[in-house]
Amino acid sequence: MRIVLVGPPGAGKGTQAAFLAKNLSIPHISTGDLFRANISQNTELGRRAKAYMDAGDLVPDEVTIDMAKDRMEQPDAANGFLLDGFPRNVSQAEALDVMLQAEGMKLDAVLDLEVEEDEVVKRLAGRRTCRNDGSHVFHVVYAPPKTEGVCDVCGGELYVREDQSEDAVRNRLDVYHTQTEPIIDYYKAQGLLVTIPALGEVQEITKRAMDALNK
Ligand code: AMP
């Protein structure tokens, strides 16, 4: 299966993508994760992407599309993949269509995780990340650490990631509305869009998505 996951920042795309990819035995391809890996390895690509990411802006298409294409051409993605965070604007969606058509392939579905704006802001603004290990993530309301400001796992200091500051969050939402939301109509016109209400328990949302895919 070839699936695209869309939804505003804070909709839980990364979490759902990981579960869905596992259930469907296809690789989870997150352009955000690919950029972050490049940043931590201090590659040329990572250095180019960082300022855009910190500000909550989109990394330019010419960089992003090539990176996504390279990843989709890896052998593990030959029989399908779940895209998380790509495409993020109509020109990326068109580039993806061209890429797939050239191989005689097409998308099976586009899942749109739907969450209200207020909820998204609450989720994003409360995230706290460990300075020692960025995969240790907490939330002041939904997953508070035992001691405020201290990582439960390793005792590291918790901080607000650069791209999760209030200004960056506001900008990411703005970018989502102006640049990413148009792809929802683009995929609706192709008959691929499935809307998944994304409020509630993580497992329940995964089930909704799996049920929709099995239809
Ligand atoms: P994410 O982890 O998906 O929220 O992505 C984090 C950041 O990486 C975004 O705010 C963008 O700066 C950048 N990014 C990820 N995917 C894309 C994309 N498809 N196009 C442009 N920028 C992207």
Side-chain angles (χ1 to χ4, degrees):
M1 270 194 147
R2 293 181 181 84
I3 300 166
V4 168
L5 203 57
V6 294
K13 283 194 302 297
T15 307
Q16 287 305 325
F19 283 117
L20 291 170
K22 191 159 178 267
N23 283 350
L24 297 164
S25 304
I26 49 177
H28 166 201
I29 299 181
S30 155
T31 40
D33 284 352
L34 293 173
F35 283 130
R36 280 184 287 276
N38 273 279
I39 290 175
S40 65
Q41 288 155 19
N42 196 20
T43 66
E44 171 66 31
L45 180 71
R47 286 193 294 275
R48 275 193 76 181
K50 188 168 186 322
Y52 296 99
M53 293 176 73
D54 284 349
D57 288 326
L58 295 188
V59 179
D61 284 349
E62 69 267 19
V63 178
T64 307
I65 292 170
D66 282 350
M67 180 184 74
K69 189 165 184 276
D70 278 353
R71 179 63 190 88
M72 281 183 266
E73 285 170 355
Q74 298 300 310
D76 67 334
N79 294 319
F81 46 71
L82 192 154
L83 294 177
D84 159 17
F86 181 89
R88 243 180 169 96
N89 59 29
V90 171
S91 57
Q92 292 181 10
E94 288 168 349
L96 176 62
D97 277 349
V98 169
M99 209 184 297
L100 292 172
Q101 272 157 20
E103 304 291 327
M105 300 186 296
K106 60 180 188 51
L107 292 174
D108 294 289
V110 175
L111 303 178
D112 173 25
L113 295 183
E114 201 177 49
V115 192
E116 278 180 18
E117 178 109 0
D118 284 355
E119 176 63 21
V120 158
V121 173
K122 206 157 84 184
R123 288 185 189 182
L124 290 173
R127 285 196 187 158
R128 300 292 180 269
T129 305
C130 175
R131 275 205 198 278
N132 293 344
D133 184 333
S135 71
H136 304 160
V137 181
F138 299 83
H139 191 284
V140 291
V141 180
Y142 302 115
K146 290 195 191 82
T147 309
E148 199 186 314
V150 181
C151 176
D152 286 358
V153 184
C154 69
E157 181 201 355
L158 298 181
Y159 77 113
V160 178
R161 237 172 55 187
E162 194 90 41
D163 65 337
Q164 289 168 358
S165 70
E166 211 180 305
D167 281 352
V169 164
R170 246 190 238 122
N171 190 39
R172 279 166 76 194
L173 283 170
D174 206 41
V175 166
Y176 179 75
H177 290 312
T178 55
Q179 301 188 50
T180 307
E181 255 175 4
I183 72 174
I184 292 178
D185 282 339
Y186 178 87
Y187 286 126
K188 204 183 271 172
Q190 293 189 11
L192 289 171
L193 194 80
V194 183
T195 302
I196 310 287
L199 207 61
E201 295 290 325
V202 170
Q203 291 93 333
E204 178 54 33
I205 298 163
T206 309
K207 186 174 176 304
R208 277 177 215 153
M210 286 301 294
D211 288 348
L213 290 174
N214 287 329
K215 264 192 197 146

